[in-house]
Every structure is written in structure tokens, then in C-alpha cells.
Amino acid sequence: MARPQTIEDDALIARLSGVFRDAGYKGASLGLLAEGCGLQKASLYHRFPGGKQQMAEEVIAAALDWYEVNIFAPLRGEGTPRERLAAVGQALTAFYADGRKACLLNMLAAPPEADGPFAAAIRGAFTAIIDAFCDLAREAGHDEAQARARATRVVMLLHGSLVLSRGLGSSEPFHAFLASLPGALIEG
Amino acid sequence: MARPQTIEDDALIARLSGVFRDAGYKGASLGLLAEGCGLQKASLYHRFPGGKQQMAEEVIAAALDWYEVNIFAPLRGEGTPRERLAAVGQALTAFYADGRKACLLNMLAAPPEADGPFAAAIRGAFTAIIDAFCDLAREAGHDEAQARARATRVVMLLHGSLVLSRGLGSSEPFHAFLASLPGALIEG
DNA sequence: GTCTATACCTTGATAGAC
DNA sequence: GTCTATCAAGGTATAGAC
């Protein structure tokens, strides 16, 4: 192509994701989004003809892809359940910047309408995350009901720790979640 | 006074709170807020000269008052720890409308700036909630460190269940939290 | 105390030059 | 592909009648 992109698609999405996670959907104005990625508003519309909604949709899709590679795959991977959870813990620490970055799904769950354009994607994402932890809990010896209850609790703890870390301005709750992860999912 | 208020202060705050909890700070436009309480925008400015920010501040203060009466007092009240937790569970069910209403603190944590005008109030509110549960856990026989860890976990589970209930469009996670509340705080 | 009407600014989005 | 300039819509906030 004549003029090369000044920022790669992956990096662009990552920057936009950061703005959405900090400000939420409504709070992420095109000015903020443009500033966050170093492009002008018109350039963003060239990349995303669907506007802000398309940006948010692609950000969600990219986050799910990242989860698939860095969370779901390790959960299914080699090693003992404990070892896999340790790897997942490291990945979560990176993704949520040690508790300083909020959950994208939480920040996008509110905005447009009661059942906005992201509701289906968000529901699917939460379901996939719970299912992934559930599979590991079953593999660790729990029956279906127990595994599902434990997986749900782990996802609740994760997102609660993010809300609390944000509200308290401290990464301590997130660390407490990481420490309790093995016990909550597979032990006992 | 010559002309009586068409809506009492308490009811007005309650309606505004509902809008903030549904839409967040940015999403709660003055149009939505006015529609939600049945007043015109100018009337809202008469009640709240400080504008939307004052509305949010008073909504937070009112929520803390409600928590003091309906959560903190019962936690310190009569009866066994189990009985108090049962009463608190009922109050939480009402306050969060069985998981359908989001946490106000979560919805207001993001908006203005990284450390917006609500950051201090939100931090104080989370701290107070954790402290209240912590006191009960200590009274139930846990040492300080154990009690604090358990109280933090309970608050994480509560807010995580609200995020999940919202994201999944189901009150099941909230019910799971209620069921696990006694075990997470005082048993074991 | 509440309303209608309005001023002013920010927002999402587009046009057209380079 | 990116930019500057611009528009229409919706936002917050205010003025003044009743």
C-alpha cells in the first residue's frame, strides 16, 4: 500500500482497550480514544467505519482471543492442575496489570441500553471463562455441580477483587484473589 | 413554603440512585436523571445547585446511610452471627434487587478522572463495609488477620456476584453469593 | 418549586486536502 | 492512511415566567 499504517492493528486495539477499561464506554470519548492511540479521530473512523461501537466490539473480540491463548489453553494444557493455575495466575496478573486495570466486560456492561449491543458478547465471554475453570475443577476430581460452583466462585472472586482494587486504589485485593485461587478452585 | 415539593428528598435521591446504578456517571445524562425522577432538568438544578456531581455525591452519602442502618447495625446487633448474617442477606437482596441492580460504587468508580471527586468517598465506603464484616468475623472467633481476610473475601464475592449477575443477565451468581455468605465469613 | 426556553460546549461523525 | 476543518446532535447549565 502507498502509505503504511503508523500503528499496527494489534497495538491500536490494545491502546483502545486501555482507554475503554479506564473510562468505560460512555466515558471513552473519541477525543480520549484518539489521544490514547496517537491518531486523529478521522483516522480512527477510517480504521473503524462502524465508529465507537465497532471499536468496542473489536476490543472485546481481541480480549477473548487473548484469553483463549493465555488463559483457556494453559488451563487445558500440560502439568498438574496446580501448575496450570500458577501459569494462569501470571497471565491474569499481566492482563489486569496487577489489579490496576479493570475488567473490560464490567466497564462495557452498562452503557447503550439495558441490553446493549455488547450484552450477548459479554454473556458469552463470562460463560466461556466459567466453563474453562469448571473443566479444570472437574479434572481435579470434583463432580459437575461442585466444579461449576467452584468455577463460578473463582470468577466472582476475580471480578470482585478488580472492583475492590479499583475502589480502594490498592492491588491488595487482587493479590488476595491470586493467593486464594488454587484453594477456591481445586482444594478442599 | 408557598409551593410544596412534588417529590420528597428521600424519594428523589432514590430515583436518581437508580439511574446512576443503571447507567453509570457518564451514562446518566441530565435528561435520563430528569426522566427518572419525573422532574425537569431546571428543577433538578434547583434542588442540586452543584449539578450532576452534587447529585452523585448525595446519592453516595444516602447509600452509606442506608448501609449503616440496614447492614452495619444488624451486623453489630442481637442474635448469633448466623442470625445476623441472615438478616443482612435479606437487606442485601433488597438493596441489590436480587442481583439486578449494580453496585453504586462500581458504577461511579470510573468516570471523571483517575482520582475523581468520588474516589475518597468510594474508598471510605469499601473500607467501612469490610470493617463491618471483619468485626463480626472476629466476634465469631477468628483472629484479626483471619477475620480481615474473610471479610475482604466476602466483599469481593458480593461485588463479583453483582458484576457476574449483570453480565450474565441472571440473578444466579447473586444467589450463590448469599448461600456462601455464612460459610465464607464465619465457618470453617 | 417547577416549568419552558435557551445559551453554550462537547460529542460522534463526515468531507476533502495531502 | 492520516490529517485539518467542520457539522449536527446531544450534553450541561442558566434565565426568567408562573
Side-chain angles (χ1 to χ4, degrees), chain B residues 3 5-6 39-40 42-43 46-47:
Chain B
R3 186 198 284 222
Q5 291 181 344
T6 57
L39 291 180
Q40 294 300 320
S43 304
H46 178 78
R47 300 278 198 106

Side-chain angles (χ1 to χ4, degrees), chain A residues 4 8 10 49 53 81 173 175:
Chain A
E8 298 297 323
D10 287 356
Q53 179 165 330
H175 290 154

